Amino acid sequence: MATFDQATAERMLRDVFAPWIQALDLSIESLSAEGAVLRMPFSERLCRDNGVICGQALMSLADTAMVFAVSSSGGAYRPMTTVDQTMHFLRPAAKIDVLADAKVVRLGRTMAFGSVTLTTVGDDRPVAIAQLAYALLPESK
C-alpha cells in the first residue's frame, strides 16, 4: 500500500483542488487510516451579512475533508467524485476557525462512504454533521 503522508496531502491540496477551494486556505491537521482532520481558518470573506460563516463554505470544507479521509484510508489519492452529500447545520460558527473531522465508514472498490463532524476550535459541540458518498474513478491514462 502506498503511503499517504502530510507532505503528499499538502501537495494534493495545492495540485488537485479548484482555485476557489484553495482560497479557503485549508490546512491538514491530521491523517490516519480512519480519516482526516482539516482546519478552515476564519475569514470575513466566508461570512454572510450577519457575521456567520456561510453554509456553502462549511459544505465545501466537509466535502474536501472527506476526499482527504478517503485518500488517507486508501493509502493514496485516486480520482473521485461526490455522489451525495447530506448536511445538517446544528449551530452557527462565527469569528473562529472550523475543524472538519472526516471518517471513512466504508471504502469499497468503486464507492466510498463517510461522515464529517464540523466543530469550532476549542468547542466539541458540532456546528454541522454530514454524510457523504463518492464514486471512485479509474485512473486517467
Side-chain angles (χ1 to χ4, degrees):
M1 181 186 288
T3 301
F4 190 79
D5 59 10
Q6 187 78 20
T8 302
E10 289 171 4
R11 217 172 14 262
M12 185 176 123
L13 192 54
R14 286 189 315 268
D15 298 342
V16 171
F17 293 93
W20 66 270
I21 293 293
Q22 294 172 7
L24 293 174
D25 199 25
L26 304 177
S27 61
I28 297 109
E29 296 288 301
S30 66
L31 300 166
S32 72
E34 292 77 38
V37 177
L38 269 63
R39 177 188 292 246
M40 183 173 69
F42 175 77
S43 170
E44 292 288 341
R45 299 178 295 110
L46 304 176
C47 293
R48 299 176 22 177
D49 59 350
N50 61 358
V52 172
I53 298 172
C54 70
Q56 295 92 332
L58 296 173
M59 290 183 81
S60 297
L61 170 60
D63 189 41
T64 306
M66 187 51 65
V67 172
F68 283 93
V70 170
S71 298
S72 187
S73 182
Y77 170 73
R78 67 183 274 196
M80 62 188 86
T81 188
T82 309
V83 173
D84 182 61
Q85 180 174 359
T86 301
M87 190 101 171
H88 297 282
F89 299 96
L90 306 174
R91 67 183 185 92
K95 296 188 170 121
I96 194 163
D97 292 2
V98 178
L99 298 173
D101 186 1
K103 302 285 187 208
V104 173
V105 174
R106 182 177 184 281
L107 179 57
R109 209 172 33 80
T110 61
M111 292 289 296
F113 301 88
S115 64
V116 180
T117 301
L118 300 182
T119 59
T120 54
V121 171
D123 189 341
D124 290 338
R125 296 176 302 152
V127 168
I129 54 175
Q131 297 296 118
L132 298 103
Y134 293 85
L136 304 176
L137 306 173
E139 293 287 336
S140 57
K141 305 264 183 209

